[in-house]
Amino acid sequence: MGIYQTSTKTRQALIDATGQLAAEKGFNAISTRAIAQLADENIGSIHYHFGGKDKLFEAVILSVATRWLENPLEDALTGIDILTAAGQAQAIRLIVSRDISLLFDKEVPSWHNRVIFQVMQYPNPLQNTFRAIVLERENEVICRLFKTIDPAMDDETAELHFLLLLTPLIFHADYQNIILQKLGQTEYSPQYLQRLVDTCVTQTLLFFNLPTSANETSHDSE
Amino acid sequence: MGIYQTSTKTRQALIDATGQLAAEKGFNAISTRAIAQLADENIGSIHYHFGGKDKLFEAVILSVATRWLENPLEDALTGIDILTAAGQAQAIRLIVSRDISLLFDKEVPSWHNRVIFQVMQYPNPLQNTFRAIVLERENEVICRLFKTIDPAMDDETAELHFLLLLTPLIFHADYQNIILQKLGQTEYSPQYLQRLVDTCVTQTLLFFNLPTSANETSHDSE
DNA sequence: TATAAATTTAGTCGACCGACTAGATTTGGT
DNA sequence: ACCAAATCTAGTCGGTCGACTAAATTTATA
């Protein structure tokens, strides 16, 4: 009939192997033969199931993008009154927590993050689509929040604060290998991630004179 | 006798072309023929002058690393008394300013930054050397500073603050294309970079209760 | 179990890769 | 101007790449 069970299994094996290899060496450095070997599938299956190497890559990228599409930032912020200082503080904390959850969910293959940032970095057909999905939407919501906090803020400044808030998270995802090597660990501990969230959030709240009390472990610098 | 003038010119042309292409497509995606064509040199010259593609890549990486080796962070901090709060604040500001200068110096080819971050990201023989040059040294100095500010701070927390302080700068260098595209500009304006420095520094100073007065444009969030 | 469709397999194809070389050309000190 | 050393050039080589195919095999149904 339409599709046999073995088909979806083969497709997934090829996608996983591709993501794994791409995370390790970069999309530009891997061959269809290496992919097929790691997936324990025949190289011809790439052509049969995806139509070629490029299409396989698109499928990999799409499988990552789907997860972000299914978890829009707006959903995480429903019910927050961003017109009050307390609500604004809570929104900032929720944004950071939500991104940490998405980036470092242990259920998700570790190659997802590397795929994201490679697509962002190098020209490819899906780049704009992907940026729109993963970045633009988040960017827009957060910039609007900053402009609510300070109505006099211009676009460029809002962008700047967007970047300042999220780049620590992004860097922890993009350069996970280096950081973990430096920390002498194999994965971020929940405590470390919690501290990352707290510190990011606190720095931003302090900058905007927003209340830091909420549900945070007290911060004391001496 | 040893070396003719044309030789250094050819070598430099090949290094520049390689850096330019690598920045655009990634080291793994460029061929010796493409390099030679962009450099307007013969492909055989790569073998003659460098001994092969890999050695050429090493020369490119080394040409970038040299610049960081020649500008150690320690030099920027001489004469600062990091035992006083004012000195600590000044040190943090100097660190950030110095990195911004190195990363966004208009005299330096724009491919330098992309080379740095590709070497950091993907396994290669010079990776550890490079990390030691560009990251470790900076890391050590800054972590020591944080531990001076708060003697009770543990290593992991110091690392965290190191990352929080510098990742915005690093991200602005690593993802320069995306950010500039979003800002609708072709290069960061001095004003934007200054604001980036000020905000990064202020956030950190506020977090550690250090004086923000120094030589900074006053910060007021409403 | 018989069967047609779906899938897997092994192998071929031309294109391009990096490495290398022998010979032509240029350089710079004399 | 001469010439030996340095450099440049065009081209060959074996190897790997992605695309593709025809035949073998497996699957799900009747």
Side-chain angles (χ1 to χ4, degrees):
Chain A
M1 300 251 90
I3 289 177
Y4 291 172
Q5 281 189 359
T6 56
S7 177
T8 56
K9 220 189 75 184
T10 303
R11 284 181 62 96
Q12 198 55 49
L14 287 170
I15 288 178
D16 285 338
T18 304
Q20 199 175 321
L21 282 175
E24 198 178 319
K25 308 181 178 182
F27 278 101
N28 285 321
I30 62 182
S31 67
T32 51
R33 283 169 175 83
I35 294 168
Q37 186 177 2
L38 181 63
D40 204 22
E41 299 288 345
N42 189 280
I43 186 181
S45 294
I46 292 175
H47 178 258
Y48 178 78
H49 286 285
F50 298 95
K53 193 194 192 190
D54 290 344
K55 302 281 190 59
L56 168 58
F57 285 3
E58 286 187 11
V60 172
I61 294 169
L62 232 56
S63 82
V64 174
T66 300
R67 195 160 156 271
W68 288 79
L69 270 177
E70 288 172 349
N71 290 280
L73 176 56
E74 290 88 338
D75 287 2
L77 296 182
T78 51
I80 305 279
D81 176 15
I82 64 165
L83 293 178
T84 68
Q88 290 161 358
Q90 199 181 348
I92 287 175
R93 177 168 290 274
L94 276 174
I95 289 167
V96 175
S97 300
R98 175 257 187 188
D99 279 348
I100 289 275
S101 299
L102 278 176
L103 287 171
F104 304 108
D105 183 349
K106 289 175 186 170
E107 303 297 311
V108 173
S110 62
W111 52 263
H112 269 227
N113 283 344
R114 294 293 314 124
V115 166
I116 292 177
F117 297 112
Q118 282 184 64
V119 174
M120 296 277 186
Q121 196 65 261
Y122 300 106
N124 70 76
L126 269 74
Q127 189 177 60
N128 287 331
T129 310
F130 202 76
R131 285 183 186 178
I133 293 172
V134 180
L135 261 193
E136 286 306 319
R137 182 189 298 206
E138 198 134 340
N139 181 275
E140 198 184 325
V141 173
I142 296 176
C143 283
R144 204 180 314 130
L145 173 61
F146 281 128
K147 285 181 170 184
T148 307
I149 293 174
D150 177 5
M153 188 182 293
D154 60 50
D155 286 346
E156 197 178 89
T157 309
E159 285 293 334
L160 183 62
H161 284 290
F162 164 77
L163 291 172
L164 256 57
L165 181 62
L166 293 191
T167 49
L169 316 188
I170 294 174
F171 190 84
H172 272 81
D174 200 1
Y175 291 87
Q176 189 164 2
N177 288 342
I178 294 186
I179 298 178
L180 286 176
Q181 182 182 324
K182 182 71 189 168
L183 292 177
Q185 296 163 8
T186 57
E187 60 177 20
Y188 296 124
S189 67
Q191 293 79 19
Y192 183 84
L193 292 179
Q194 186 57 50
R195 202 124 51 89
L196 176 58
V197 172
D198 285 343
T199 318
C200 279
V201 170
T202 303
Q203 285 198 350
T204 299
L205 296 185
L206 284 175
F207 190 89
F208 287 106
N209 283 325
L210 292 172
T212 58
S213 51
N215 45 355
E216 177 212 355
T217 57
S218 78
H219 146 254
D220 190 6
S221 71
E222 49 193 344
Chain B
M1 273 293 103
I3 290 176
Y4 291 173
Q5 281 189 0
T6 56
S7 176
T8 57
K9 222 188 75 182
T10 303
R11 284 181 62 96
Q12 198 54 50
L14 287 170
I15 287 178
D16 284 339
T18 305
Q20 199 175 321
L21 283 175
E24 198 178 319
K25 309 181 177 181
F27 278 101
N28 285 322
I30 62 183
S31 66
T32 52
R33 284 171 174 81
I35 293 168
Q37 186 177 3
L38 181 63
D40 203 24
E41 300 289 345
N42 189 281
I43 186 182
S45 294
I46 292 176
H47 175 73
Y48 179 78
H49 285 286
F50 298 94
K53 194 195 193 189
D54 290 344
K55 302 281 189 61
L56 169 58
F57 284 3
E58 287 187 11
V60 172
I61 294 170
L62 233 55
S63 82
V64 174
T66 300
R67 196 160 154 272
W68 289 79
L69 269 177
E70 289 172 347
N71 290 280
L73 176 55
E74 290 89 337
D75 287 3
L77 295 183
T78 50
I80 305 278
D81 177 16
I82 64 166
L83 294 179
T84 68
Q88 291 160 359
Q90 199 180 348
I92 287 176
R93 177 167 290 274
L94 276 174
I95 289 168
V96 175
S97 300
R98 175 256 187 188
D99 280 347
I100 289 277
S101 299
L102 278 177
L103 288 171
F104 303 109
D105 183 349
K106 288 176 186 169
E107 303 297 311
V108 173
S110 61
W111 52 262
H112 269 227
N113 284 345
R114 294 294 314 123
V115 167
I116 293 177
F117 297 112
Q118 282 184 63
V119 174
M120 297 276 186
Q121 195 66 262
Y122 301 106
N124 70 75
L126 270 74
Q127 188 177 61
N128 287 330
T129 310
F130 202 75
R131 286 184 186 177
I133 292 171
V134 180
L135 262 192
E136 285 306 319
R137 182 189 299 205
E138 199 135 337
N139 180 275
E140 198 184 327
V141 172
I142 296 175
C143 283
R144 205 181 311 131
L145 173 62
F146 280 129
K147 286 183 169 182
T148 306
I149 293 173
D150 178 3
M153 187 182 293
D154 60 52
D155 286 346
E156 197 178 270
T157 308
E159 284 294 333
L160 182 64
H161 284 289
F162 164 77
L163 291 172
L164 255 60
L165 180 62
L166 293 192
T167 50
L169 316 187
I170 293 174
F171 190 83
H172 272 81
D174 201 1
Y175 291 87
Q176 190 164 2
N177 288 342
I178 294 186
I179 297 178
L180 286 176
Q181 182 181 323
K182 182 73 188 167
L183 291 176
Q185 296 162 9
T186 56
E187 60 177 19
Y188 296 124
S189 68
Q191 294 79 20
Y192 183 84
L193 291 179
Q194 185 57 49
R195 202 125 51 91
L196 176 57
V197 172
D198 285 343
T199 318
C200 279
V201 171
T202 302
Q203 284 198 351
T204 299
L205 296 184
L206 284 175
F207 190 89
F208 287 106
N209 283 324
L210 292 172
T212 59
S213 51
N215 44 354
E216 178 211 356
T217 57
S218 78
H219 146 254
D220 191 7
S221 71
E222 48 194 343

